[in-house]
Amino acid sequence: MTVEYTKNGPTKIAYETFGDPSGEPLLLIMGLDFQMVYWPDDFCRMLVDRGFFVARFDNRDAGLSEHFTSAQQRHPIAALFRRDRTPAYTGEDMVGDGLAVMDALGWKSAHVAGASLGSFLAIATALGHPDRVRSLALLLATPSGMRASLRYIQFGFIAKMGKIKHPDTDEGAIQTLVDISRAQSSPRNPVDLAWAREVAEIAHRRAPRDQSGTQRQLAAVRSYPGLAARRLPVSAPTIIVNGADDPLLRGPAAAKALAKAIPGSTAKIVPGMGHDLPAALWSQLADDIAANAGMSHHS
């Protein structure tokens, strides 16, 4: 894949595309901390088979996009609960990064799919820029607004993640990413460890994980206004797809609550899906995204 770069103001954003530019535009927004390579290449190709021209990008503070620094170091869990008075950037800035990729590709509007924290950004894009969003697929999602989403987080899992400790070496950093992928997957569809290692090696080579970036991304999303409303006036056709076995979120309850907030949306709970995109479910997920976008399957 050829990495392209665009800018949102002074901020450099890295992106890649799959498929034919004549396809239906689809922007993929990744979650907290994760690089765009965690949208698996083969899953992106399945979306291409369904008629999409796919773009994925690194959020700021991840991968090959611009990285920032924080004046104050704070544990990511503290960042969940405490508003940062001087965030390095805002949720609006993060939304703008996705729009900058669309602009670079000449897309006036696109279908948008977000995973985990990426689903917050997808909703924020649809609320702030409704003319630019054709349809919305929210994967591994919670009700928007940080306080509302906290109700659905399984904090025991976050504590478990905090115990993953490896030596401060390249191999240790890669193994940490593999362990996170393994922990996020469902026992019914465990992550393919060969893929998890391969993508962890790619991600580490692109940019080693910086935990202060976690804090900054969380602070940005916290700062976004309007996401906590009980009713979110999203006009684009919306599907919410959560895993029945999500170890991080109470997936089924979160999907139902979010569906209640977005009029006309559809919630789907997938058995055997954790807080990840397991290979066994790619075809089904691609079908769901295409159907919600009003596209009939053709490969």
Side-chain angles (χ1 to χ4, degrees), residues 29 43 109 112 241 243 285:
I29 309 179
F43 177 60
S109 64
V112 178
V241 184
L285 286 169

Side-chain angles (χ1 to χ4, degrees), residues 68-155:
F68 290 73
T69 54
S70 302
Q72 182 186 12
Q73 295 301 313
R74 187 180 276 165
H75 189 280
I77 291 186
L80 274 174
F81 287 102
R82 233 170 292 147
R83 190 177 287 279
D84 193 330
R85 285 207 180 76
T86 52
Y89 46 82
T90 65
E92 189 58 72
D93 293 329
M94 292 189 77
V95 166
D97 297 342
L99 295 174
V101 172
M102 287 173 57
D103 291 344
L105 291 165
W107 294 354
K108 286 196 166 62
S109 64
H111 304 281
V112 178
S116 196
L117 185 100
S119 66
F120 276 99
L121 296 171
I123 293 168
T125 305
L127 289 174
H129 309 270
D131 55 319
R132 305 210 63 177
V133 178
R134 299 184 191 184
S135 74
L136 208 50
L138 307 173
L139 315 177
L140 318 174
T142 63
S144 297
M146 208 44 98
R147 191 165 294 161
S149 68
L150 289 175
R151 273 180 226 149
Y152 300 95
I153 290 175
Q154 313 209 58
F155 283 96

Side-chain angles (χ1 to χ4, degrees), residues 71-280:
Q72 182 186 12
Q73 295 301 313
R74 187 180 276 165
H75 189 280
I77 291 186
L80 274 174
F81 287 102
R82 233 170 292 147
R83 190 177 287 279
D84 193 330
R85 285 207 180 76
T86 52
Y89 46 82
T90 65
E92 189 58 72
D93 293 329
M94 292 189 77
V95 166
D97 297 342
L99 295 174
V101 172
M102 287 173 57
D103 291 344
L105 291 165
W107 294 354
K108 286 196 166 62
S109 64
H111 304 281
V112 178
S116 196
L117 185 100
S119 66
F120 276 99
L121 296 171
I123 293 168
T125 305
L127 289 174
H129 309 270
D131 55 319
R132 305 210 63 177
V133 178
R134 299 184 191 184
S135 74
L136 208 50
L138 307 173
L139 315 177
L140 318 174
T142 63
S144 297
M146 208 44 98
R147 191 165 294 161
S149 68
L150 289 175
R151 273 180 226 149
Y152 300 95
I153 290 175
Q154 313 209 58
F155 283 96
F157 179 77
I158 293 181
K160 189 170 131 189
M161 290 289 91
K163 293 195 180 103
I164 295 176
K165 292 277 189 283
H166 292 292
D168 192 10
T169 59
D170 288 339
E171 179 48 41
I174 289 164
Q175 192 56 50
T176 296
L177 291 173
V178 172
D179 288 354
I180 290 170
S181 291
R182 181 194 277 144
Q184 288 185 334
S185 66
S186 161
R188 289 191 275 176
N189 268 314
V191 72
D192 173 338
L193 288 175
W195 176 81
R197 169 156 283 277
E198 182 190 347
V199 77
E201 286 170 354
I202 291 167
H204 182 69
R205 195 165 59 238
R206 292 169 97 245
R209 187 160 167 255
D210 168 13
Q211 280 212 291
S212 70
T214 315
Q215 165 191 326
R216 288 188 292 277
Q217 288 185 353
L218 282 172
V221 172
R222 277 202 71 123
S223 75
Y224 195 90
L227 284 183
R230 280 174 190 274
R231 307 232 355 130
L232 298 167
V234 170
S235 51
T238 301
I239 187 170
I240 300 147
V241 184
N242 277 10
D245 299 345
D246 192 322
L248 173 62
L249 305 175
R250 293 192 290 114
K256 286 176 190 143
L258 184 53
K260 206 178 267 184
I262 299 177
S265 61
T266 305
K268 185 167 179 179
I269 311 302
V270 182
M273 181 168 158
H275 199 73
D276 65 344
L277 307 172

Side-chain angles (χ1 to χ4, degrees), residues 37-48:
V37 292
Y38 279 89
W39 289 108
D41 291 9
D42 287 343
F43 177 60
C44 292
R45 290 187 190 103
M46 283 186 185
L47 290 164
V48 169

Side-chain angles (χ1 to χ4, degrees), residues 57-69:
F57 69 101
D58 285 327
N59 286 317
R60 55 179 62 206
D61 257 333
L64 299 177
S65 289
E66 193 106 7
H67 286 249
F68 290 73
T69 54

